[in-house]
């Protein structure tokens, strides 16, 4: 167990919360109730929600303020009753029809009233926690009511937070982007990828760029390959309506997987400013070699779990994939020739997200008869979830009078840190949206870059990649194992 003096010389890059209003569209929905309000409450308890800030929920379902407070109260965990009621005092509700201009006009008046009452600057963060097809009409209405216009003197801002999906291919993503940019500047748009809110994902940047020891070996000279896994035990649950139309490549690869890959593989940004970090991500994504469409099946495996078609809401003849494994190459000096193997799937043997950096074997062994090739390669695993932390496996002498050697794991677990309260990804992201820090939000060129890579795959794979089947609770399809096996490698067990 780690002692309470564990952290030596820690620094925080945090800024004090700015006062403002947070408007949540889709406030009576699942995301708002289960994630957003609890995250805001948590921020409030930590003193990271400004005293004067107000939260206005908007939805069609009718509630008055008190009725809505009672609706979300059971989701607020921890803290005293006084803290809870103090938080709930800041929560307001505005019911109405999203298609009715009057709804937006009265929202504007409500915001002005709350801002004047608390002498708040009119900083407003508008969170659209709703299906993406509703973005265009709502954004047009918000703009029509003047709710997206920032004052020219720069005295306050308007931010709009959006959830994925950002299109379903390059063309639709570009269309959405055009619409957004008709009403908003890029620095007003906060596109969420909730993986970027995870501590362990952010820690990739600290690990790589706040330490000296990793950078010299973080390249093709020392790294044999990298494996990136996001495995889930859950199936589609109640989301078949969305999922069966999108499938795993769009749901996980285009966003979470590629973002994590970019964090692990990009060059060091010149600073930690939002654009410096995102510039490097784009560069990296652009350097990924396009898939060879004539031999797509050699580098992309798609599969569906047995029983998927019987899930409620799934078409009985659905060809939607619930698993994808892919082999990528990055054409730059750092990564030339290093394969990146990515896999993600639903209903697999375990819930596990990790990035494993597998180093090359030593060039020569002095420990005869053990050959260099017999030694387990050093492996650094960045454990994103659920056992958050990091594990470095190295070769070491086993204790005892005999001369034996084996792989030894140095294991760091976030859960063993004293006082380490868990932090929901949404807390970090809500906080940043309210602070105006876009570092952890996806810029439009990153989205375009990732669709540019995957759209040709989506257009060709029905024909070029047979849909494999895998057993629920398994490690995935045989075909995915073969992707590595034929190159003399294997996936880490789930
Ligand atoms: C979401 C996907 O973005 O991420 C879901 O739409 C998936 O299908 C989820 O289950 C996984 O997130 P997490 O944080 O549970 O790994």
């Amino acid at each position: 167990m780690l002692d309470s003096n564990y952290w030596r010389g820690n620094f925080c890059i945090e800024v004090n919360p700015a006062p403002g209003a947070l408007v949540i569209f889709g406030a009576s929905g699942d995301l708002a109730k289960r994630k957003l309000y609890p995250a805001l409450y948590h921020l409030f308890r930590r003193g990271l929600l400004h005293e004067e800030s107000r939260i206005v929920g908007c939805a069609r379902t009718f509630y008055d303020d008190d009725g809505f407070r009672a609706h979300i109260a059971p989701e607020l965990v921890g803290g005293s009753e006084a803290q809870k009621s103090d938080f709930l005092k800041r929560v307001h509700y505005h019911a109405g029809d999203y298609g009715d201009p009057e709804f937006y006009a009265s929202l504007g008046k409500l915001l002005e009233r709350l801002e004047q009452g608390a002498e708040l600057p009119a900083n407003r963060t508008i969170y659209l926690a709703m299906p993406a097809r509703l973005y265009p009409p709502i954004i047009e209405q918000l703009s029509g009511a003047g709710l997206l216009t920032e004052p020219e003197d720069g005295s306050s801002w308007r931010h709009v937070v959006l959830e994925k999906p950002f299109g379903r291919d390059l063309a639709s993503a570009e269309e959405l982007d055009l619409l957004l940019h008709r009403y908003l500047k890029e620095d007003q748009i906060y596109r969420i990828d909730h993986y970027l809110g995870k501590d362990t994902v952010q820690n990739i940047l600290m690990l790589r760029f706040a330490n000296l020891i990793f950078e010299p070996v973080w390249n093709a000279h020392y790294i044999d390959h990298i494996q990136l896994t996001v495995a889930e035990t859950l199936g589609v649950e109640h989301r078949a309506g969305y999922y069966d139309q999108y499938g795993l490549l769009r749901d996980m690869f285009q966003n979470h997987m590629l973002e994590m890959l970019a964090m692990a593989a990009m060059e060091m940004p010149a600073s930690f400013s939002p654009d410096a970090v995102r510039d490097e991500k784009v560069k990296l994504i652009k350097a990924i070699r396009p898939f060879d469409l004539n031999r797509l099946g050699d580098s992309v495996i798609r599969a569906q779990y047995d029983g998927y078609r019987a899930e409620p809401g799934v078409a009985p003849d659905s060809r939607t994939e619930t698993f994808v494994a892919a082999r990528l190459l990055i054409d730059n000096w750092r990564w030339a020739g290093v394969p990146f193997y990515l896999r993600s799937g639903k209903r697999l043997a375990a819930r596990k997200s990790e990035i494993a950096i597998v180093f090359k074997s030593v060039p020569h062994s002095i420990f005869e008869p053990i050959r260099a090739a017999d030694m387990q390669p050093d492996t650094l695993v960045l454990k994103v979830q659920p056992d958050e932390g990091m594990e470095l496996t190295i070769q070491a002498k086993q204790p005892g009078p005999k001369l034996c050697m084996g792989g030894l794991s140095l294991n760091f677990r976030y859960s063993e840190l004293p006082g380490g309260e868990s932090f929901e990804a949404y807390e970090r992201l809500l906080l940043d949206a309210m602070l105006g820090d876009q570092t952890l939000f996806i810029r439009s060129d990153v989205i375009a870059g990732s669709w540019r890579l995957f759209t040709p795959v989506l257009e060709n794979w029905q024909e070029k990649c047979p849909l494999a089947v895998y057993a629920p609770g398994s490690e995935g399809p045989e075909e995915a194992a073969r992707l590595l096996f034929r190159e003399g490698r294997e996936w880490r067990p789930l």
Side-chain angles (χ1 to χ4, degrees):
M1 191 64 183
L2 303 164
D3 68 40
S4 54
N5 296 321
Y6 189 72
W7 292 108
R8 287 183 196 92
N10 55 336
F11 304 98
C12 293
I13 317 171
E14 223 57 89
V15 191
N16 287 332
L22 176 68
V23 182
I24 301 179
F25 277 70
S28 61
D30 217 38
L31 173 68
K33 185 171 169 182
R34 284 189 312 109
K35 299 279 189 193
L36 305 183
Y37 284 100
L40 288 164
Y41 175 55
H42 214 177
L43 287 175
F44 174 77
R45 282 177 51 211
R46 289 169 184 268
L48 290 172
L49 188 70
H50 193 278
E51 267 292 287
E52 296 301 338
S53 287
R54 297 289 179 267
I55 305 158
V56 179
C58 295
R60 270 172 291 216
T61 318
F62 179 80
Y63 289 104
D64 59 13
D65 281 359
D66 283 339
F68 185 70
R69 289 169 183 151
H71 168 73
I72 57 164
E75 303 293 326
L76 312 179
V77 259
S80 63
E81 282 310 307
Q83 264 180 326
K84 230 179 251 184
S85 88
D86 222 14
F87 171 75
L88 286 171
K89 269 186 224 148
R90 292 161 169 79
V91 170
H92 301 266
Y93 190 75
H94 183 61
D97 174 359
Y98 295 140
D100 179 5
E102 172 46 34
F103 171 69
Y104 298 85
S106 50
L107 172 63
K109 286 193 194 110
L110 170 64
L111 290 171
E112 275 166 29
R113 210 168 56 240
L114 294 173
E115 284 156 1
Q116 278 157 14
E119 289 178 33
L120 279 181
N123 290 333
R124 295 172 187 168
T125 304
I126 301 175
Y127 197 123
L128 304 188
M130 53 199 353
R133 69 188 149 75
L134 296 175
Y135 295 165
I138 291 182
I139 287 175
E140 278 169 35
Q141 292 270 9
L142 283 165
S143 166
L147 292 173
L148 301 179
T149 317
E150 297 185 327
E152 273 173 18
D153 62 2
S155 55
S156 63
W157 40 249
R158 311 282 184 274
H159 296 160
V160 175
V161 186
L162 305 167
E163 289 271 344
K164 76 167 176 38
F166 306 114
R168 48 179 294 109
D169 52 21
L170 182 59
S172 53
E174 283 176 344
E175 201 181 307
L176 174 65
D177 209 49
L178 264 179
L179 173 113
L180 295 176
H181 286 127
R182 199 173 306 145
Y183 301 108
L184 295 158
K185 294 179 283 160
E186 181 62 26
D187 67 7
Q188 292 181 276
I189 308 172
Y190 287 68
R191 299 179 195 81
I192 288 220
D193 181 322
H194 80 280
Y195 261 68
L196 297 183
K198 295 182 193 278
D199 268 338
T200 39
V201 174
Q202 290 162 38
N203 190 41
I204 301 172
L205 297 185
M206 309 282 169
L207 178 89
R208 293 193 54 204
F209 304 133
N211 295 290
L212 192 64
I213 60 170
F214 299 107
E215 174 55 20
V217 294
W218 210 265
N219 55 54
H221 297 299
Y222 294 94
I223 293 177
D224 177 73
H225 72 279
I226 291 187
Q227 294 186 17
L228 206 156
T229 300
V230 176
E232 295 185 87
T233 50
L234 293 179
V236 276
E237 311 306 304
H238 55 280
R239 297 167 68 227
Y242 150 80
Y243 197 86
D244 205 36
Q245 297 301 313
Y246 279 76
L248 192 127
L249 193 84
R250 292 184 172 99
D251 190 46
M252 301 296 289
F253 264 63
Q254 181 272 326
N255 36 67
H256 312 320
M257 302 285 281
L258 222 52
E259 282 288 334
M260 282 197 283
L261 171 72
M263 307 265 272
M266 71 190 196
E267 296 302 313
M268 183 182 308
S271 75
F272 195 48
S273 75
D275 277 333
V277 172
R278 297 182 304 170
D279 286 347
E280 292 306 333
K281 278 191 188 168
V282 178
K283 255 165 62 189
L284 189 281
I285 289 172
K286 285 186 178 162
I288 299 175
R289 184 183 301 177
F291 291 94
D292 178 350
L293 298 178
N294 292 317
R295 304 182 54 185
L296 199 52
D298 289 353
S299 45
V300 179
I301 305 298
R302 66 188 191 110
Q304 190 184 73
Y305 64 79
D306 197 9
Y308 171 74
R309 293 176 186 177
E311 300 270 17
V314 171
D317 56 350
S318 170
R319 296 187 54 75
T320 301
E321 77 287 356
T322 59
F323 177 99
V324 175
R327 176 185 186 276
L328 305 178
L329 288 171
I330 297 175
D331 285 330
N332 65 16
W333 205 332
R334 183 187 289 270
W335 296 117
V338 178
F340 285 71
Y341 301 105
L342 279 60
R343 67 176 158 168
S344 176
K346 294 208 179 275
R347 278 245 195 285
L348 290 171
R351 173 169 180 257
K352 186 189 262 190
S353 300
E354 62 171 37
I355 304 172
I357 292 112
V358 182
F359 289 89
K360 291 187 170 167
S361 305
V362 291
H364 166 72
S365 165
I366 60 164
F367 301 103
E368 289 286 348
I370 306 172
R371 294 172 311 152
D374 296 332
M375 297 183 202
Q376 249 187 42
D378 299 341
T379 305
L380 174 66
V381 185
L382 311 179
K383 301 204 270 181
V384 174
Q385 65 186 31
D387 179 20
E388 287 87 355
M390 205 181 339
E391 185 177 325
L392 177 64
T393 308
I394 54 167
Q395 292 291 309
K397 182 186 176 303
Q398 289 175 354
K402 285 174 68 183
L403 202 61
C404 297
M405 184 164 69
L408 176 76
S409 284
L410 312 176
N411 206 345
F412 156 72
R413 293 196 161 93
Y414 266 98
S415 60
E416 289 178 2
L417 287 182
E421 233 188 311
S422 77
F423 200 88
E424 258 281 351
Y426 276 101
E427 292 174 42
R428 166 92 252 161
L429 298 172
L430 280 163
L431 180 62
D432 282 353
M434 293 187 289
L435 287 171
D437 182 341
Q438 289 187 305
T439 314
L440 299 178
F441 293 85
I442 323 172
R443 209 169 58 187
S444 72
D445 51 354
V446 175
I447 295 190
S450 97
W451 279 125
R452 209 162 277 129
L453 179 70
F454 289 124
T455 301
V457 175
L458 290 162
E459 286 169 351
N460 285 275
W461 71 353
Q462 293 291 351
E463 200 187 316
K464 306 267 173 61
C465 308
L467 182 69
V469 177
Y470 61 101
S474 70
E475 298 269 322
E478 262 302 300
E479 289 79 350
R482 277 205 290 275
L483 185 70
L484 273 70
F485 191 70
R486 60 163 201 250
E487 299 186 335
R489 303 184 177 105
E490 57 186 357
W491 291 109
R492 289 166 47 77
L494 289 179

